[in-house]
Amino acid sequence: MVTACALALVLTACGGTGGVQGTAGSTGVADPYFPKAGNGGYDVTHYALTLAYTPGTPHTSTPLTGTATITARATQNLSAYDLDLKGMRVNSLTVDGKKTSWTRTGQELRVRPPDTLRKGKTFKTTVHYSGTPETITDPDGSEEGWLPTADGALALGEPTGSMAWFPGNDHPSDKATYDITITVPKGLQAVSNGELRTETTTRAGRTTSTWRTTHPMATYLATVAIGHYDITRTTTKNGLPVYTAVDPQEAAASRKVLAEIPEIMEWEEYNFGPYPFSSTGAIVDRRGDAGYALETQARPFFPGAPDTATLVHELAHQWYGDSVTPKTWRDMWLNEGFATYAEWLWSEDHDGDTAQQTFDALYRGTYFDDRSDSEAIWSFPPARPTSAAHISDSPVYERGAMVLHKIRRTVGDARFYDIIQGWAATHRYGNANTADFTAYVQKMAPGKDFGEIWKDWLYGDGKPARP
């Protein structure tokens, strides 16, 4: 009997209920720069988040209460699994309605379901949590997570800030759909991704807004913006809804540039292919509320009124970064190189510098006024940032765009646009890495030699010998 049990241990629990013997999912998905990010053993398909927040003193965070119901599919026989959640207090937790034990270690919330979850099973984890959400400082010194603003709060998640305000599988490789419901004091707005489904005000003087994102979204692209906003609803020529939320202090400065969204969207669809989502727009908060713009899905965020180039950049991310999302944070150039090159193409098509002129100026070192900025482009190859602190540095942006321009010069304009449109279509709503991209380019341009581009421009150290 002992021998039989030992042989069967990998499949069944000997002497128990006869259920499948599971193993714990991994803590982290072995991202090269953020090894603790994400978790193994399951794939999230949907997040249903219910949040309540009352702002206090300007730029001071106050308590948030939340309920997260996470629908996922087990990818192995699971005896335990982790969620990423930093700082917040867990009040209760259930799996498929059953009370469940859990433990906390740093950002890891380990869940131990009452029964093993069989591979392929769809299950729901419901977490009731509360506390004052944290502002997280990235390795590069920028701030993300939950950012208290002058009249509310802002949630930004790149690269690992989403775990500050909801539990989840916080890695870009696991995308899901979302329903986000936010309750705030009457007079404030709560804006998020996707489409506004309902907005109601209760007798108690609270306003509840529900937003739905029906296309897969990485956790770092989820956002909530709470405050006073001027809301504008329009459509593009083809009927795509445009929803903008602008802090009143930025309204005048933003009006002209945000009016360009329909034109930019038409231009980007012509160049990049069909828009992948069901609405577009922007969130503009006050300057200083955050230190950067971010391509939050379907509704990019801007700290203050953006210029046209920045708006083009963040909207281009809806194709490259949001719809086609990197498998790991090492592949950031597939986001930023593409969005930066979109700026070059826009300039070329609107009586500015051509992409070739921008490329040449960067190579000569005359693009930036500061010599150190010119030299920084060559500090590491775009496909190999040196550490987590450098995934948003110049080589990822400018040198990444230079790689795309080298491809364009090699294959010609017609084939180049086939490549970038086909890339967006082939990996629509999915994940891809640099190896996927280089293989795709070579497949689309058989007989062309990309050896120098891959070796010297994409992966090579230092400044390539030839422009």
Side-chain angles (χ1 to χ4, degrees), residues 268-287:
E268 292 192 341
E269 284 199 277
Y270 177 80
N271 285 281
F272 309 143
Y275 181 63
F277 305 122
S278 51
S279 66
T280 187
I283 301 169
V284 181
D285 233 317
R286 300 183 194 183
R287 295 187 181 277

Side-chain angles (χ1 to χ4, degrees), residues 140-270:
D140 67 359
S142 61
E143 292 185 333
E144 55 169 321
W146 193 263
L147 307 176
T149 62
D151 60 353
L154 173 68
L156 297 176
E158 189 181 49
T160 60
S162 295
M163 62 182 173
W165 59 284
F166 69 93
N169 200 17
D170 196 6
H171 190 266
S173 60
D174 193 0
K175 300 166 74 171
T177 57
Y178 285 73
D179 282 300
I180 301 179
T181 299
I182 319 110
T183 299
V184 297
K186 181 180 178 180
L188 297 180
Q189 287 86 34
V191 182
S192 188
N193 312 87
E195 282 71 63
L196 178 63
R197 306 296 293 181
T198 61
E199 188 173 53
T200 59
T201 300
T202 68
R203 293 179 182 177
R206 308 277 288 174
T207 299
T208 298
S209 305
T210 298
W211 295 82
R212 176 166 293 172
T213 297
T214 57
H215 297 103
M217 178 168 70
T219 50
Y220 81 92
L221 297 170
T223 190
V224 168
I226 298 168
H228 294 97
Y229 296 104
D230 291 342
I231 305 297
T232 302
R233 296 175 175 87
T234 58
T235 60
T236 64
K237 288 181 181 179
N238 63 3
L240 181 72
V242 180
Y243 184 103
T244 61
V246 183
D247 185 287
Q249 292 193 11
E250 299 292 335
S254 300
R255 189 171 295 114
K256 183 177 180 180
V257 67
L258 294 183
E260 297 181 58
I261 289 177
E263 179 189 357
I264 293 170
M265 293 299 297
E266 183 179 1
W267 178 86
E268 292 192 341
E269 284 199 277
Y270 177 80

Side-chain angles (χ1 to χ4, degrees), residues 16 68 107 188 202 231 335 372 436 438 465:
Q107 72 184 50
L188 297 180
T202 68
I231 305 297
N335 292 14
S372 64
D436 295 326
T438 57

Side-chain angles (χ1 to χ4, degrees), residues 270-273 319-320 324 333-334 338 341 345 403-428 436-450 453-454:
Y270 177 80
N271 285 281
F272 309 143
W319 283 262
Y320 308 109
V324 184
W333 84 275
L334 291 172
F338 272 87
Y341 198 62
L345 294 175
V403 169
L404 294 175
H405 190 68
K406 291 283 290 185
I407 295 170
R408 180 184 175 190
R409 292 200 312 194
T410 300
V411 303
D413 276 12
R415 184 56 54 88
F416 175 74
Y417 284 101
D418 286 344
I419 288 172
I420 62 174
Q421 289 183 17
W423 173 251
T426 299
H427 295 281
R428 191 177 176 98
D436 295 326
F437 178 71
T438 57
Y440 183 80
V441 171
Q442 292 177 292
K443 177 184 175 181
M444 291 289 289
K448 296 293 184 180
D449 183 7
F450 298 99
I453 299 176
W454 307 152

Side-chain angles (χ1 to χ4, degrees), residues 288-299:
D289 282 346
Y292 50 88
L294 187 62
E295 62 270 22
T296 44
Q297 189 160 307
R299 195 152 292 108

Side-chain angles (χ1 to χ4, degrees), residues 18-367:
V20 172
Q21 181 74 24
T23 55
S26 62
T27 58
V29 293
D31 187 275
Y33 301 124
F34 299 92
K36 292 183 179 180
N39 301 284
Y42 64 94
D43 172 44
V44 178
T45 57
H46 185 71
Y47 290 95
L49 307 178
T50 302
L51 312 173
Y53 188 76
T54 300
T57 305
H59 301 290
T60 302
S61 191
T62 54
L64 169 76
T65 60
T67 298
T69 298
I70 304 158
T71 304
R73 179 181 58 84
T75 56
Q76 65 184 60
N77 295 326
L78 274 179
S79 62
Y81 57 94
D82 283 29
L83 298 170
D84 298 305
L85 181 65
K86 186 175 176 61
M88 302 291 282
R89 179 176 65 254
V90 175
N91 300 317
S92 67
L93 192 153
T94 61
V95 176
D96 289 335
K98 297 180 180 179
K99 290 185 178 181
T100 301
S101 63
W102 73 89
T103 56
R104 301 287 299 273
T105 304
Q107 72 184 50
E108 300 296 331
L109 169 60
R110 170 141 292 197
V111 181
R112 302 183 185 278
D115 304 300
T116 294
L117 301 170
R118 290 176 179 267
K119 181 178 179 180
K121 175 182 172 58
T122 296
F123 62 98
K124 291 187 177 182
T125 308
T126 300
V127 184
H128 297 276
Y129 59 100
S130 60
T132 302
E134 295 185 13
T135 298
I136 297 172
T137 301
D138 290 339
D140 67 359
S142 61
E143 292 185 333
E144 55 169 321
W146 193 263
L147 307 176
T149 62
D151 60 353
L154 173 68
L156 297 176
E158 189 181 49
T160 60
S162 295
M163 62 182 173
W165 59 284
F166 69 93
N169 200 17
D170 196 6
H171 190 266
S173 60
D174 193 0
K175 300 166 74 171
T177 57
Y178 285 73
D179 282 300
I180 301 179
T181 299
I182 319 110
T183 299
V184 297
K186 181 180 178 180
L188 297 180
Q189 287 86 34
V191 182
S192 188
N193 312 87
E195 282 71 63
L196 178 63
R197 306 296 293 181
T198 61
E199 188 173 53
T200 59
T201 300
T202 68
R203 293 179 182 177
R206 308 277 288 174
T207 299
T208 298
S209 305
T210 298
W211 295 82
R212 176 166 293 172
T213 297
T214 57
H215 297 103
M217 178 168 70
T219 50
Y220 81 92
L221 297 170
T223 190
V224 168
I226 298 168
H228 294 97
Y229 296 104
D230 291 342
I231 305 297
T232 302
R233 296 175 175 87
T234 58
T235 60
T236 64
K237 288 181 181 179
N238 63 3
L240 181 72
V242 180
Y243 184 103
T244 61
V246 183
D247 185 287
Q249 292 193 11
E250 299 292 335
S254 300
R255 189 171 295 114
K256 183 177 180 180
V257 67
L258 294 183
E260 297 181 58
I261 289 177
E263 179 189 357
I264 293 170
M265 293 299 297
E266 183 179 1
W267 178 86
E268 292 192 341
E269 284 199 277
Y270 177 80
N271 285 281
F272 309 143
Y275 181 63
F277 305 122
S278 51
S279 66
T280 187
I283 301 169
V284 181
D285 233 317
R286 300 183 194 183
R287 295 187 181 277
D289 282 346
Y292 50 88
L294 187 62
E295 62 270 22
T296 44
Q297 189 160 307
R299 195 152 292 108
F301 167 79
F302 302 94
D307 57 22
T308 299
T310 304
L311 187 58
V312 168
H313 181 110
E314 301 304 336
L315 289 174
H317 271 310
Q318 306 308 305
W319 283 262
Y320 308 109
D322 293 17
S323 178
V324 184
T325 304
K327 287 182 179 177
T328 77
W329 289 110
R330 177 178 285 159
D331 304 302
M332 268 281 279
W333 84 275
L334 291 172
N335 292 14
E336 302 302 347
F338 272 87
T340 300
Y341 198 62
E343 295 181 54
W344 299 9
L345 294 175
W346 175 270
S347 172
E348 182 173 273
D349 286 351
H350 293 81
D351 301 322
D353 288 346
T354 66
Q356 185 64 53
Q357 288 172 322
T358 303
F359 178 98
D360 290 341
L362 286 165
Y363 189 82
R364 289 193 307 265
T366 59
Y367 183 81

